[in-house]
């Protein structure tokens, strides 16, 4: 968890300068609420919860088994997305 903390902290500092880029907010209003909720779901479930589940799983299985899952998951996702 400490490594993830530092990873996210460094990522936050690297992404912060992009907050000051001028964005035309008039284009954001037509986005439906369902799309915003879907984005929130992806951020929370697919990112935050996934990291904690992955760390918790390492208590029960070996690191090699966990790494196989981590490397196969993007390939599986890509295949499902294409089909």
């Amino acid at each position: 968890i400490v490594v993830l903390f530092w990873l996210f902290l460094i990522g936050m500092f690297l992404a912060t300068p992009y907050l000051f880029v001028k964005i035309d907010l008039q284009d954001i209003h037509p986005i439906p609420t369902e799309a915003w909720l879907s984005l929130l779901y992806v951020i929370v479930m697919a990112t935050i919860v996934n990291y904690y589940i992955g760390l918790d799983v390492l208590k029960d299985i070996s690191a090699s088994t966990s790494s196989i899952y981590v490397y196969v998951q993007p390939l599986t996702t890509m295949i499902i997305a294409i089909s």
Side-chain angles (χ1 to χ4, degrees), residues 1 17 31 46 57 67 70 72 74:
I1 294 179
I31 298 175
V57 164
S67 66
V70 168
V72 170

Side-chain angles (χ1 to χ4, degrees), residues 20 55 57 72-73 75:
F20 301 108
L55 290 174
V57 164
V72 170
Q73 184 181 8
L75 296 173

Side-chain angles (χ1 to χ4, degrees), residues 11-25:
M12 181 186 72
F13 285 121
L14 291 174
T16 300
Y18 294 102
L19 293 173
F20 301 108
V21 175
K22 185 176 177 177
I23 299 173
D24 186 18
L25 295 178

Side-chain angles (χ1 to χ4, degrees), residues 30-48:
I31 298 175
T33 305
E34 183 179 330
W36 286 112
L37 292 174
S38 299
L39 179 63
L40 180 66
Y41 176 80
V42 167
I43 291 170
V44 172
M45 296 305 291
T47 306
I48 298 171

